[in-house]
Amino acid sequence: QTGLFTYDPGFTSTAACDSAITYIDGDKGELLYRGYPIDQLADNSSYIEVCYLLLYGELPSKADLRDFENRVTRHTMVHEQMHYFYRGFRRDAHPMAIVTGVVGAMAAFYHDSTDISDPEQREIASIRMIAKLPTIVAMAYKYSVGQPFVYPRNDLDYASNFLHMCFAVPAEEYKVDPVVARAMDRIFTLHADHEQNASTSTVRLSGSSDANPFACIAAGVACLWGPAHGGANEAALNMLRQIGTVDRIPEFIARAKDKNDPFRLMGFGHRVYKNYDPRAAVMQESAREVLDLLGVENNPTLQVAQELEKIALEDPYFVERKLYPNVDFYSGIILDAIGFPTSMFTAIFALSRTVGWIAQWKEMIGDPQKKIGRPRQLYNGATKRDYVDISAR
Ligand code: SDX
């Protein structure tokens, strides 16, 4: 039934809800957004068009897309008082700590979009979050590097605006390279939604109590931060750097197999994909394009990544366990080449996934039958017993 968790001692995945948004076939390595294959969307669409598709279920007409893009563009600025939040953080605060806090604080500002019984207010809350996450994430980056915040610009597309807010400085004009903007836009699209992953389930569960929509998305941001989930892109690049050179790969492959060693190959394996993650294939292509453009095609990190992938895909340990590169394996290489520090990688993932969280939240809120009920448990603790006074213990 919809919304019922069933306990499975084998811990194999069980249906948490029904949904019409994203379909994954883990064995085939297939991912569809509202029926459209992810590689076709990455090659032919744009993130703002994919946002429309995920939210409303169909690809937009030209007029609808223009209207949707205008609505998002007109909400990209944050309330001026939100700037003061950043000054309360330490400069070395992790961007995900800042984004979790500031997204939650949106609930303190936008009172005209929190009555979730009103479809209009649900819509404006959704548009505001899609529009403002790039600004909030870019401000977290600027604050961490001690540079002034850069305001959003209405003449730039979604990805270019984000890059401009991150890398422009008052001292000189910053021109967004179209190839870099395209790679950024594809990264947003590839991360936009992914069925009932941990952070999406967190948003659904939070939303099932009719909680404030901004607070529900902040809960999703917090869950995504974990290195087993969205934090894997930061961990994957740090791992590739730790390996450093191709000749050290066997040492780390051995560690990944050693049950006494907690080391895992970050960016490998997936709860659902037991085949190649289709997003990783698109990401690898983007990585080559961006590195060629930036003249770093002999980037040692990419060389280690490609050699590690080749070795792992031939190694029986990984083949038997169906451990393939996932979306996080290559994304860090692109973000690093563009100029982001590893600490920003998961915040960019959160920015991308906001539309997926919102689409899933709207789908649930709009149909009470889809609300996740209150999950139960199988109790395996102490049987009933009487209290023992401390004098007798
Ligand atoms: C994301 O759910 C989503 O959709 C998430 C996501 C999204 O878009 O929202 O796709 C984003 O979170 C991608 C995953 C990012 N995480 C990582 O890359 C971290 C490294 N990966 C592992 O922690 C692990 O692969 C998981 C948690 C991602 C998946 O775990 P599984 O598939 O359930 O595998 P498991 O933990 O049950 O392990 C099965 C076997 C074990 O060995 P045996 O006990 O059988 O001997 O495979 C081994 C594990 O030790 N194994 C690994 C490994 N992952 C699993 N060994 C080495 N390196 C790894 N990465």
Side-chain angles (χ1 to χ4, degrees), residues 194 197-198 227-230 232 256 259 264-271 274 279 317-318 321 323 326-328 349 353:
H194 211 240
N197 57 84
H229 186 13
K259 293 303 165 202
R264 282 277 213 279
L265 284 185
M266 301 315 281
F268 271 80
H270 198 277
R271 289 271 185 247
K274 300 310 172 189
R279 302 168 296 179
Y317 176 92
F318 297 95
R321 290 167 177 78
L323 299 177
N326 58 44
V327 67
D328 297 300
F349 190 156
R353 184 56 56 88

PDB file of all heavy atoms in Angstrom, residues 194 197-198 227-230 232 256 259 264-271 274 279 317-318 321 323 326-328 349 353, ligand 1:
ATOM      1  N   HIS A 194      16.254  11.774  -7.733  1.00  0.00           N
ATOM      2  CA  HIS A 194      16.723  10.383  -7.798  1.00  0.00           C
ATOM      3  C   HIS A 194      15.853   9.458  -6.971  1.00  0.00           C
ATOM      4  O   HIS A 194      16.338   8.694  -6.144  1.00  0.00           O
ATOM      5  CB  HIS A 194      18.186  10.276  -7.351  1.00  0.00           C
ATOM      6  CG  HIS A 194      18.878   9.148  -8.061  1.00  0.00           C
ATOM      7  ND1 HIS A 194      19.435   8.081  -7.416  1.00  0.00           N
ATOM      8  CD2 HIS A 194      19.080   8.921  -9.381  1.00  0.00           C
ATOM      9  CE1 HIS A 194      19.948   7.238  -8.295  1.00  0.00           C
ATOM     10  NE2 HIS A 194      19.752   7.725  -9.498  1.00  0.00           N
ATOM     11  N   ASN A 197      15.744   8.432  -2.462  1.00  0.00           N
ATOM     12  CA  ASN A 197      17.044   8.350  -1.767  1.00  0.00           C
ATOM     13  C   ASN A 197      16.883   8.904  -0.362  1.00  0.00           C
ATOM     14  O   ASN A 197      15.825   9.424   0.004  1.00  0.00           O
ATOM     15  CB  ASN A 197      18.081   9.144  -2.553  1.00  0.00           C
ATOM     16  CG  ASN A 197      17.664  10.570  -2.747  1.00  0.00           C
ATOM     17  OD1 ASN A 197      17.863  11.404  -1.889  1.00  0.00           O
ATOM     18  ND2 ASN A 197      16.984  10.844  -3.859  1.00  0.00           N
ATOM     19  N   ALA A 198      17.955   8.804   0.434  1.00  0.00           N
ATOM     20  CA  ALA A 198      17.845   9.144   1.861  1.00  0.00           C
ATOM     21  C   ALA A 198      17.348  10.567   2.077  1.00  0.00           C
ATOM     22  O   ALA A 198      16.439  10.806   2.894  1.00  0.00           O
ATOM     23  CB  ALA A 198      19.208   8.952   2.523  1.00  0.00           C
ATOM     24  N   PRO A 227      28.692  11.520   4.105  1.00  0.00           N
ATOM     25  CA  PRO A 227      29.614  11.013   3.069  1.00  0.00           C
ATOM     26  C   PRO A 227      29.106   9.741   2.378  1.00  0.00           C
ATOM     27  O   PRO A 227      29.563   9.392   1.295  1.00  0.00           O
ATOM     28  CB  PRO A 227      30.918  10.749   3.830  1.00  0.00           C
ATOM     29  CG  PRO A 227      30.553  10.739   5.268  1.00  0.00           C
ATOM     30  CD  PRO A 227      29.325  11.576   5.424  1.00  0.00           C
ATOM     31  N   ALA A 228      28.160   9.034   2.987  1.00  0.00           N
ATOM     32  CA  ALA A 228      27.627   7.848   2.298  1.00  0.00           C
ATOM     33  C   ALA A 228      26.601   8.272   1.252  1.00  0.00           C
ATOM     34  O   ALA A 228      26.199   7.489   0.397  1.00  0.00           O
ATOM     35  CB  ALA A 228      26.970   6.897   3.297  1.00  0.00           C
ATOM     36  N   HIS A 229      26.192   9.539   1.288  1.00  0.00           N
ATOM     37  CA  HIS A 229      25.139  10.043   0.380  1.00  0.00           C
ATOM     38  C   HIS A 229      25.721  11.208  -0.440  1.00  0.00           C
ATOM     39  O   HIS A 229      26.644  11.002  -1.212  1.00  0.00           O
ATOM     40  CB  HIS A 229      23.920  10.442   1.228  1.00  0.00           C
ATOM     41  CG  HIS A 229      22.692  10.843   0.455  1.00  0.00           C
ATOM     42  ND1 HIS A 229      22.523  10.635  -0.889  1.00  0.00           N
ATOM     43  CD2 HIS A 229      21.551  11.445   0.877  1.00  0.00           C
ATOM     44  CE1 HIS A 229      21.335  11.093  -1.255  1.00  0.00           C
ATOM     45  NE2 HIS A 229      20.722  11.592  -0.210  1.00  0.00           N
ATOM     46  N   GLY A 230      25.243  12.395  -0.264  1.00  0.00           N
ATOM     47  CA  GLY A 230      25.683  13.512  -1.103  1.00  0.00           C
ATOM     48  C   GLY A 230      27.092  13.968  -0.800  1.00  0.00           C
ATOM     49  O   GLY A 230      27.731  14.606  -1.625  1.00  0.00           O
ATOM     50  N   ALA A 232      29.586  12.237  -0.765  1.00  0.00           N
ATOM     51  CA  ALA A 232      30.545  11.337  -1.425  1.00  0.00           C
ATOM     52  C   ALA A 232      31.335  12.049  -2.509  1.00  0.00           C
ATOM     53  O   ALA A 232      32.477  11.667  -2.807  1.00  0.00           O
ATOM     54  CB  ALA A 232      29.816  10.138  -2.014  1.00  0.00           C
ATOM     55  N   ALA A 256      40.433  -1.246   0.039  1.00  0.00           N
ATOM     56  CA  ALA A 256      38.965  -1.268  -0.138  1.00  0.00           C
ATOM     57  C   ALA A 256      38.407  -2.670   0.065  1.00  0.00           C
ATOM     58  O   ALA A 256      37.266  -2.843   0.479  1.00  0.00           O
ATOM     59  CB  ALA A 256      38.604  -0.756  -1.522  1.00  0.00           C
ATOM     60  N   LYS A 259      38.413  -6.163   4.930  1.00  0.00           N
ATOM     61  CA  LYS A 259      37.270  -5.969   5.840  1.00  0.00           C
ATOM     62  C   LYS A 259      37.684  -5.302   7.145  1.00  0.00           C
ATOM     63  O   LYS A 259      36.863  -4.752   7.857  1.00  0.00           O
ATOM     64  CB  LYS A 259      36.593  -7.316   6.146  1.00  0.00           C
ATOM     65  CG  LYS A 259      35.909  -7.936   4.948  1.00  0.00           C
ATOM     66  CD  LYS A 259      34.874  -7.009   4.347  1.00  0.00           C
ATOM     67  CE  LYS A 259      34.440  -7.455   2.964  1.00  0.00           C
ATOM     68  NZ  LYS A 259      33.869  -6.361   2.168  1.00  0.00           N
ATOM     69  N   ARG A 264      36.683   2.844   2.024  1.00  0.00           N
ATOM     70  CA  ARG A 264      35.815   2.472   0.897  1.00  0.00           C
ATOM     71  C   ARG A 264      36.257   3.282  -0.303  1.00  0.00           C
ATOM     72  O   ARG A 264      36.763   4.397  -0.142  1.00  0.00           O
ATOM     73  CB  ARG A 264      34.380   2.878   1.218  1.00  0.00           C
ATOM     74  CG  ARG A 264      33.645   1.945   2.158  1.00  0.00           C
ATOM     75  CD  ARG A 264      33.078   0.771   1.394  1.00  0.00           C
ATOM     76  NE  ARG A 264      31.841   0.251   1.903  1.00  0.00           N
ATOM     77  CZ  ARG A 264      31.740  -0.563   2.919  1.00  0.00           C
ATOM     78  NH1 ARG A 264      32.812  -0.904   3.572  1.00  0.00           N
ATOM     79  NH2 ARG A 264      30.564  -1.030   3.291  1.00  0.00           N
ATOM     80  N   LEU A 265      36.040   2.747  -1.517  1.00  0.00           N
ATOM     81  CA  LEU A 265      36.304   3.545  -2.716  1.00  0.00           C
ATOM     82  C   LEU A 265      35.148   4.531  -2.857  1.00  0.00           C
ATOM     83  O   LEU A 265      34.058   4.163  -3.278  1.00  0.00           O
ATOM     84  CB  LEU A 265      36.382   2.659  -3.953  1.00  0.00           C
ATOM     85  CG  LEU A 265      37.652   1.825  -4.165  1.00  0.00           C
ATOM     86  CD1 LEU A 265      37.572   1.119  -5.515  1.00  0.00           C
ATOM     87  CD2 LEU A 265      38.906   2.681  -4.074  1.00  0.00           C
ATOM     88  N   MET A 266      35.362   5.781  -2.475  1.00  0.00           N
ATOM     89  CA  MET A 266      34.287   6.776  -2.537  1.00  0.00           C
ATOM     90  C   MET A 266      33.938   7.065  -3.989  1.00  0.00           C
ATOM     91  O   MET A 266      34.815   7.144  -4.835  1.00  0.00           O
ATOM     92  CB  MET A 266      34.720   8.062  -1.825  1.00  0.00           C
ATOM     93  CG  MET A 266      35.066   7.852  -0.374  1.00  0.00           C
ATOM     94  SD  MET A 266      33.878   6.814   0.500  1.00  0.00           S
ATOM     95  CE  MET A 266      32.588   7.980   0.803  1.00  0.00           C
ATOM     96  N   GLY A 267      32.628   7.146  -4.254  1.00  0.00           N
ATOM     97  CA  GLY A 267      32.192   7.330  -5.638  1.00  0.00           C
ATOM     98  C   GLY A 267      31.942   6.008  -6.334  1.00  0.00           C
ATOM     99  O   GLY A 267      31.602   5.970  -7.510  1.00  0.00           O
ATOM    100  N   PHE A 268      32.087   4.903  -5.567  1.00  0.00           N
ATOM    101  CA  PHE A 268      31.777   3.573  -6.130  1.00  0.00           C
ATOM    102  C   PHE A 268      30.639   2.935  -5.347  1.00  0.00           C
ATOM    103  O   PHE A 268      30.538   3.120  -4.133  1.00  0.00           O
ATOM    104  CB  PHE A 268      33.001   2.652  -6.021  1.00  0.00           C
ATOM    105  CG  PHE A 268      33.913   2.734  -7.207  1.00  0.00           C
ATOM    106  CD1 PHE A 268      34.812   3.783  -7.312  1.00  0.00           C
ATOM    107  CD2 PHE A 268      33.870   1.796  -8.227  1.00  0.00           C
ATOM    108  CE1 PHE A 268      35.663   3.889  -8.400  1.00  0.00           C
ATOM    109  CE2 PHE A 268      34.720   1.889  -9.326  1.00  0.00           C
ATOM    110  CZ  PHE A 268      35.614   2.939  -9.404  1.00  0.00           C
ATOM    111  N   GLY A 269      29.821   2.190  -6.026  1.00  0.00           N
ATOM    112  CA  GLY A 269      28.737   1.447  -5.380  1.00  0.00           C
ATOM    113  C   GLY A 269      27.490   2.289  -5.256  1.00  0.00           C
ATOM    114  O   GLY A 269      27.540   3.513  -5.304  1.00  0.00           O
ATOM    115  N   HIS A 270      26.368   1.602  -5.103  1.00  0.00           N
ATOM    116  CA  HIS A 270      25.089   2.322  -4.983  1.00  0.00           C
ATOM    117  C   HIS A 270      24.046   1.357  -4.426  1.00  0.00           C
ATOM    118  O   HIS A 270      24.064   0.168  -4.722  1.00  0.00           O
ATOM    119  CB  HIS A 270      24.634   2.832  -6.360  1.00  0.00           C
ATOM    120  CG  HIS A 270      23.597   3.904  -6.262  1.00  0.00           C
ATOM    121  ND1 HIS A 270      22.267   3.618  -6.090  1.00  0.00           N
ATOM    122  CD2 HIS A 270      23.716   5.244  -6.273  1.00  0.00           C
ATOM    123  CE1 HIS A 270      21.596   4.755  -6.013  1.00  0.00           C
ATOM    124  NE2 HIS A 270      22.443   5.758  -6.123  1.00  0.00           N
ATOM    125  N   ARG A 271      23.170   1.894  -3.602  1.00  0.00           N
ATOM    126  CA  ARG A 271      22.114   1.060  -3.015  1.00  0.00           C
ATOM    127  C   ARG A 271      21.196   0.475  -4.088  1.00  0.00           C
ATOM    128  O   ARG A 271      20.668  -0.611  -3.924  1.00  0.00           O
ATOM    129  CB  ARG A 271      21.259   1.909  -2.055  1.00  0.00           C
ATOM    130  CG  ARG A 271      21.962   2.308  -0.772  1.00  0.00           C
ATOM    131  CD  ARG A 271      21.781   1.286   0.330  1.00  0.00           C
ATOM    132  NE  ARG A 271      22.345   1.722   1.588  1.00  0.00           N
ATOM    133  CZ  ARG A 271      23.399   1.138   2.165  1.00  0.00           C
ATOM    134  NH1 ARG A 271      23.963   0.097   1.587  1.00  0.00           N
ATOM    135  NH2 ARG A 271      23.882   1.572   3.296  1.00  0.00           N
ATOM    136  N   LYS A 274      22.962  -1.574  -9.654  1.00  0.00           N
ATOM    137  CA  LYS A 274      23.899  -2.713  -9.672  1.00  0.00           C
ATOM    138  C   LYS A 274      24.410  -2.867 -11.092  1.00  0.00           C
ATOM    139  O   LYS A 274      24.674  -3.935 -11.586  1.00  0.00           O
ATOM    140  CB  LYS A 274      23.199  -3.968  -9.150  1.00  0.00           C
ATOM    141  CG  LYS A 274      22.692  -3.817  -7.710  1.00  0.00           C
ATOM    142  CD  LYS A 274      23.763  -3.286  -6.741  1.00  0.00           C
ATOM    143  CE  LYS A 274      23.233  -2.947  -5.355  1.00  0.00           C
ATOM    144  NZ  LYS A 274      24.235  -2.242  -4.533  1.00  0.00           N
ATOM    145  N   ARG A 279      24.302   8.426 -14.814  1.00  0.00           N
ATOM    146  CA  ARG A 279      24.754   9.813 -14.616  1.00  0.00           C
ATOM    147  C   ARG A 279      26.280   9.891 -14.660  1.00  0.00           C
ATOM    148  O   ARG A 279      26.856  10.884 -15.104  1.00  0.00           O
ATOM    149  CB  ARG A 279      24.231  10.329 -13.279  1.00  0.00           C
ATOM    150  CG  ARG A 279      22.725  10.281 -13.133  1.00  0.00           C
ATOM    151  CD  ARG A 279      22.295  10.533 -11.708  1.00  0.00           C
ATOM    152  NE  ARG A 279      22.765   9.479 -10.818  1.00  0.00           N
ATOM    153  CZ  ARG A 279      22.532   9.486  -9.498  1.00  0.00           C
ATOM    154  NH1 ARG A 279      21.863  10.488  -8.946  1.00  0.00           N
ATOM    155  NH2 ARG A 279      22.975   8.506  -8.735  1.00  0.00           N
ATOM    156  N   TYR A 317      36.496  -8.647  -7.225  1.00  0.00           N
ATOM    157  CA  TYR A 317      35.844  -8.194  -5.983  1.00  0.00           C
ATOM    158  C   TYR A 317      34.729  -7.204  -6.309  1.00  0.00           C
ATOM    159  O   TYR A 317      33.617  -7.292  -5.800  1.00  0.00           O
ATOM    160  CB  TYR A 317      36.874  -7.531  -5.061  1.00  0.00           C
ATOM    161  CG  TYR A 317      36.271  -6.939  -3.799  1.00  0.00           C
ATOM    162  CD1 TYR A 317      36.181  -7.686  -2.621  1.00  0.00           C
ATOM    163  CD2 TYR A 317      35.776  -5.628  -3.789  1.00  0.00           C
ATOM    164  CE1 TYR A 317      35.609  -7.151  -1.475  1.00  0.00           C
ATOM    165  CE2 TYR A 317      35.200  -5.086  -2.648  1.00  0.00           C
ATOM    166  CZ  TYR A 317      35.123  -5.843  -1.505  1.00  0.00           C
ATOM    167  OH  TYR A 317      34.550  -5.303  -0.364  1.00  0.00           O
ATOM    168  N   PHE A 318      35.030  -6.249  -7.187  1.00  0.00           N
ATOM    169  CA  PHE A 318      34.052  -5.213  -7.514  1.00  0.00           C
ATOM    170  C   PHE A 318      33.012  -5.741  -8.498  1.00  0.00           C
ATOM    171  O   PHE A 318      31.829  -5.429  -8.396  1.00  0.00           O
ATOM    172  CB  PHE A 318      34.779  -3.976  -8.080  1.00  0.00           C
ATOM    173  CG  PHE A 318      35.701  -3.360  -7.080  1.00  0.00           C
ATOM    174  CD1 PHE A 318      37.048  -3.691  -7.063  1.00  0.00           C
ATOM    175  CD2 PHE A 318      35.206  -2.517  -6.106  1.00  0.00           C
ATOM    176  CE1 PHE A 318      37.895  -3.164  -6.102  1.00  0.00           C
ATOM    177  CE2 PHE A 318      36.043  -1.984  -5.133  1.00  0.00           C
ATOM    178  CZ  PHE A 318      37.397  -2.308  -5.129  1.00  0.00           C
ATOM    179  N   ARG A 321      30.436  -7.833  -6.717  1.00  0.00           N
ATOM    180  CA  ARG A 321      29.546  -7.027  -5.859  1.00  0.00           C
ATOM    181  C   ARG A 321      28.829  -5.918  -6.647  1.00  0.00           C
ATOM    182  O   ARG A 321      28.156  -5.084  -6.077  1.00  0.00           O
ATOM    183  CB  ARG A 321      30.344  -6.425  -4.699  1.00  0.00           C
ATOM    184  CG  ARG A 321      30.793  -7.479  -3.697  1.00  0.00           C
ATOM    185  CD  ARG A 321      31.824  -6.945  -2.738  1.00  0.00           C
ATOM    186  NE  ARG A 321      32.180  -7.950  -1.751  1.00  0.00           N
ATOM    187  CZ  ARG A 321      33.007  -8.973  -1.999  1.00  0.00           C
ATOM    188  NH1 ARG A 321      33.541  -9.103  -3.226  1.00  0.00           N
ATOM    189  NH2 ARG A 321      33.264  -9.869  -1.058  1.00  0.00           N
ATOM    190  N   LEU A 323      29.902  -3.265  -8.095  1.00  0.00           N
ATOM    191  CA  LEU A 323      30.285  -1.926  -7.620  1.00  0.00           C
ATOM    192  C   LEU A 323      30.805  -1.117  -8.807  1.00  0.00           C
ATOM    193  O   LEU A 323      31.873  -1.385  -9.337  1.00  0.00           O
ATOM    194  CB  LEU A 323      31.365  -2.040  -6.544  1.00  0.00           C
ATOM    195  CG  LEU A 323      30.944  -2.808  -5.283  1.00  0.00           C
ATOM    196  CD1 LEU A 323      32.110  -2.912  -4.320  1.00  0.00           C
ATOM    197  CD2 LEU A 323      29.752  -2.142  -4.614  1.00  0.00           C
ATOM    198  N   ASN A 326      29.612   5.815  -9.389  1.00  0.00           N
ATOM    199  CA  ASN A 326      28.295   6.455  -9.314  1.00  0.00           C
ATOM    200  C   ASN A 326      28.426   7.937  -9.667  1.00  0.00           C
ATOM    201  O   ASN A 326      29.516   8.391 -10.054  1.00  0.00           O
ATOM    202  CB  ASN A 326      27.697   6.256  -7.913  1.00  0.00           C
ATOM    203  CG  ASN A 326      28.600   6.816  -6.822  1.00  0.00           C
ATOM    204  OD1 ASN A 326      29.135   7.907  -6.963  1.00  0.00           O
ATOM    205  ND2 ASN A 326      28.825   6.056  -5.760  1.00  0.00           N
ATOM    206  N   VAL A 327      27.357   8.670  -9.494  1.00  0.00           N
ATOM    207  CA  VAL A 327      27.291  10.076  -9.941  1.00  0.00           C
ATOM    208  C   VAL A 327      28.396  10.900  -9.293  1.00  0.00           C
ATOM    209  O   VAL A 327      28.880  11.875  -9.861  1.00  0.00           O
ATOM    210  CB  VAL A 327      25.904  10.677  -9.601  1.00  0.00           C
ATOM    211  CG1 VAL A 327      25.719  10.809  -8.078  1.00  0.00           C
ATOM    212  CG2 VAL A 327      25.698  12.008 -10.288  1.00  0.00           C
ATOM    213  N   ASP A 328      28.850  10.471  -8.111  1.00  0.00           N
ATOM    214  CA  ASP A 328      29.813  11.300  -7.368  1.00  0.00           C
ATOM    215  C   ASP A 328      31.247  11.111  -7.809  1.00  0.00           C
ATOM    216  O   ASP A 328      32.139  11.831  -7.376  1.00  0.00           O
ATOM    217  CB  ASP A 328      29.702  10.978  -5.881  1.00  0.00           C
ATOM    218  CG  ASP A 328      28.324  11.336  -5.366  1.00  0.00           C
ATOM    219  OD1 ASP A 328      27.962  12.519  -5.467  1.00  0.00           O
ATOM    220  OD2 ASP A 328      27.595  10.428  -4.921  1.00  0.00           O
ATOM    221  N   PHE A 349      25.515  20.013  -4.884  1.00  0.00           N
ATOM    222  CA  PHE A 349      24.585  18.866  -5.032  1.00  0.00           C
ATOM    223  C   PHE A 349      23.228  19.255  -4.413  1.00  0.00           C
ATOM    224  O   PHE A 349      22.171  19.055  -4.999  1.00  0.00           O
ATOM    225  CB  PHE A 349      25.183  17.655  -4.298  1.00  0.00           C
ATOM    226  CG  PHE A 349      24.478  16.338  -4.541  1.00  0.00           C
ATOM    227  CD1 PHE A 349      25.153  15.141  -4.377  1.00  0.00           C
ATOM    228  CD2 PHE A 349      23.141  16.274  -4.895  1.00  0.00           C
ATOM    229  CE1 PHE A 349      24.516  13.905  -4.577  1.00  0.00           C
ATOM    230  CE2 PHE A 349      22.482  15.053  -5.091  1.00  0.00           C
ATOM    231  CZ  PHE A 349      23.186  13.880  -4.935  1.00  0.00           C
ATOM    232  N   ARG A 353      19.566  19.331  -6.162  1.00  0.00           N
ATOM    233  CA  ARG A 353      18.532  18.394  -5.724  1.00  0.00           C
ATOM    234  C   ARG A 353      17.312  19.078  -5.164  1.00  0.00           C
ATOM    235  O   ARG A 353      16.253  18.457  -5.019  1.00  0.00           O
ATOM    236  CB  ARG A 353      19.147  17.447  -4.663  1.00  0.00           C
ATOM    237  CG  ARG A 353      18.263  16.328  -4.131  1.00  0.00           C
ATOM    238  CD  ARG A 353      17.671  15.400  -5.176  1.00  0.00           C
ATOM    239  NE  ARG A 353      18.628  14.763  -6.049  1.00  0.00           N
ATOM    240  CZ  ARG A 353      19.238  13.602  -5.793  1.00  0.00           C
ATOM    241  NH1 ARG A 353      18.999  12.979  -4.668  1.00  0.00           N
ATOM    242  NH2 ARG A 353      20.092  13.081  -6.649  1.00  0.00           N
TER     243      ARG A 353
HETATM  244  C1  SDX B   1      24.525   8.873  -3.649  1.00  0.00           C
HETATM  245  O1  SDX B   1      20.190   6.697  -3.009  1.00  0.00           O
HETATM  246  C2  SDX B   1      20.584   7.462  -3.928  1.00  0.00           C
HETATM  247  O2  SDX B   1      19.989   7.534  -5.002  1.00  0.00           O
HETATM  248  C3  SDX B   1      21.806   8.281  -3.620  1.00  0.00           C
HETATM  249  C4  SDX B   1      22.336   9.106  -4.786  1.00  0.00           C
HETATM  250  C5  SDX B   1      21.359  10.186  -5.157  1.00  0.00           C
HETATM  251  O3  SDX B   1      21.409  10.651  -6.308  1.00  0.00           O
HETATM  252  O4  SDX B   1      20.603  10.619  -4.259  1.00  0.00           O
HETATM  253  O5  SDX B   1      22.569   8.295  -5.913  1.00  0.00           O
HETATM  254  C6  SDX B   1      23.651   9.786  -4.405  1.00  0.00           C
HETATM  255  O6  SDX B   1      24.448   8.865  -2.450  1.00  0.00           O
HETATM  256  C7  SDX B   1      25.445   7.931  -4.412  1.00  0.00           C
HETATM  257  C8  SDX B   1      26.280   6.998  -3.454  1.00  0.00           C
HETATM  258  C9  SDX B   1      27.435   7.833  -2.938  1.00  0.00           C
HETATM  259  N1  SDX B   1      28.175   7.114  -1.865  1.00  0.00           N
HETATM  260  C10 SDX B   1      29.442   6.655  -2.095  1.00  0.00           C
HETATM  261  O7  SDX B   1      30.012   6.673  -3.188  1.00  0.00           O
HETATM  262  C11 SDX B   1      30.114   6.125  -0.834  1.00  0.00           C
HETATM  263  C12 SDX B   1      30.838   4.808  -1.177  1.00  0.00           C
HETATM  264  N2  SDX B   1      29.781   3.820  -1.458  1.00  0.00           N
HETATM  265  C13 SDX B   1      29.438   2.868  -0.391  1.00  0.00           C
HETATM  266  O8  SDX B   1      29.386   3.481   0.886  1.00  0.00           O
HETATM  267  C14 SDX B   1      28.242   1.999  -0.764  1.00  0.00           C
HETATM  268  O9  SDX B   1      28.475   1.572  -2.030  1.00  0.00           O
HETATM  269  C15 SDX B   1      26.836   2.544  -0.686  1.00  0.00           C
HETATM  270  C16 SDX B   1      26.445   2.916   0.707  1.00  0.00           C
HETATM  271  C17 SDX B   1      26.679   3.717  -1.581  1.00  0.00           C
HETATM  272  C18 SDX B   1      25.917   1.433  -1.186  1.00  0.00           C
HETATM  273  O10 SDX B   1      26.068   0.365  -0.377  1.00  0.00           O
HETATM  274  P1  SDX B   1      25.431  -1.062  -0.884  1.00  0.00           P
HETATM  275  O11 SDX B   1      25.275  -1.152  -2.337  1.00  0.00           O
HETATM  276  O12 SDX B   1      24.206  -1.300  -0.082  1.00  0.00           O
HETATM  277  O13 SDX B   1      26.550  -2.022  -0.588  1.00  0.00           O
HETATM  278  P2  SDX B   1      26.845  -2.588   0.837  1.00  0.00           P
HETATM  279  O14 SDX B   1      27.211  -1.455   1.761  1.00  0.00           O
HETATM  280  O15 SDX B   1      25.748  -3.511   1.270  1.00  0.00           O
HETATM  281  O16 SDX B   1      28.109  -3.416   0.429  1.00  0.00           O
HETATM  282  C19 SDX B   1      27.993  -4.581  -0.406  1.00  0.00           C
HETATM  283  C20 SDX B   1      29.409  -5.094  -0.495  1.00  0.00           C
HETATM  284  C21 SDX B   1      30.093  -5.125   0.873  1.00  0.00           C
HETATM  285  O17 SDX B   1      31.081  -6.128   0.814  1.00  0.00           O
HETATM  286  P3  SDX B   1      30.677  -7.634   1.359  1.00  0.00           P
HETATM  287  O18 SDX B   1      30.094  -7.411   2.747  1.00  0.00           O
HETATM  288  O19 SDX B   1      29.655  -8.149   0.382  1.00  0.00           O
HETATM  289  O20 SDX B   1      31.965  -8.381   1.341  1.00  0.00           O
HETATM  290  O21 SDX B   1      30.195  -4.203  -1.317  1.00  0.00           O
HETATM  291  C22 SDX B   1      31.206  -3.606  -0.546  1.00  0.00           C
HETATM  292  C23 SDX B   1      30.808  -3.788   0.929  1.00  0.00           C
HETATM  293  O22 SDX B   1      31.962  -3.861   1.747  1.00  0.00           O
HETATM  294  N3  SDX B   1      31.231  -2.191  -0.936  1.00  0.00           N
HETATM  295  C24 SDX B   1      32.349  -1.510  -1.183  1.00  0.00           C
HETATM  296  C25 SDX B   1      31.915  -0.226  -1.582  1.00  0.00           C
HETATM  297  N4  SDX B   1      30.572  -0.176  -1.552  1.00  0.00           N
HETATM  298  C26 SDX B   1      30.146  -1.397  -1.144  1.00  0.00           C
HETATM  299  N5  SDX B   1      33.661  -1.844  -1.097  1.00  0.00           N
HETATM  300  C27 SDX B   1      34.548  -0.883  -1.416  1.00  0.00           C
HETATM  301  N6  SDX B   1      34.215   0.373  -1.822  1.00  0.00           N
HETATM  302  C28 SDX B   1      32.901   0.727  -1.905  1.00  0.00           C
HETATM  303  N7  SDX B   1      32.576   1.963  -2.293  1.00  0.00           N
END
